[in-house]
């Protein structure tokens, strides 16, 4: 498997996890009986995933000479 294929596979996995976290956060927020610490940790994890997804997407774009 090439590096690009491996990055694409990892991007899909991270994107699914990001969407799942978004759904869990929404559900906990709407429930009204949520733990603030747990919610904060989930949001932090979601931001970490977003940053990592962005980093991987940048690796897929070839360098363009300036």
């Amino acid at each position: 498997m090439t590096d690009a294929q491996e990055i694409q596979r990892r991007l899909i996995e991270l994107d699914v996890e990001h969407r799942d976290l978004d759904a869990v956060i929404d559900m906990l927020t709407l429930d009204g009986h949520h733990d603030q610490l747990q919610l904060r940790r989930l949001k932090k994890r979601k931001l970490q995933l977003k940053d990592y997804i962005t980093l991987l997407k940048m690796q897929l774009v070839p360098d363009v000479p300036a």
Side-chain angles (χ1 to χ4, degrees):
M1 192 178 288
T2 67
D3 285 340
Q5 289 173 328
E6 187 66 28
I7 291 172
Q8 284 288 79
R9 184 191 59 76
R10 187 69 178 133
L11 276 171
I12 292 169
E13 291 172 357
L14 293 173
D15 193 42
V16 168
E17 185 178 351
H18 188 268
R19 280 188 306 227
D20 289 347
L21 276 174
D22 199 31
V24 170
I25 290 169
D26 287 344
M27 185 178 63
L28 287 175
T29 304
L30 292 175
D31 183 30
H33 298 94
H34 55 275
D35 179 13
Q36 287 293 326
L37 181 60
Q38 180 186 19
L39 196 58
R40 201 173 10 212
R41 287 178 177 161
L42 290 171
K43 287 181 178 182
K44 183 177 180 180
R45 175 65 181 152
K46 185 178 163 192
L47 286 173
Q48 289 171 337
L49 285 173
K50 182 179 177 185
D51 290 343
Y52 192 50
I53 288 169
T54 301
L55 178 68
L56 288 176
K57 284 182 178 180
M58 287 173 41
Q59 290 179 6
L60 288 177
V61 177
D63 291 333
V64 178

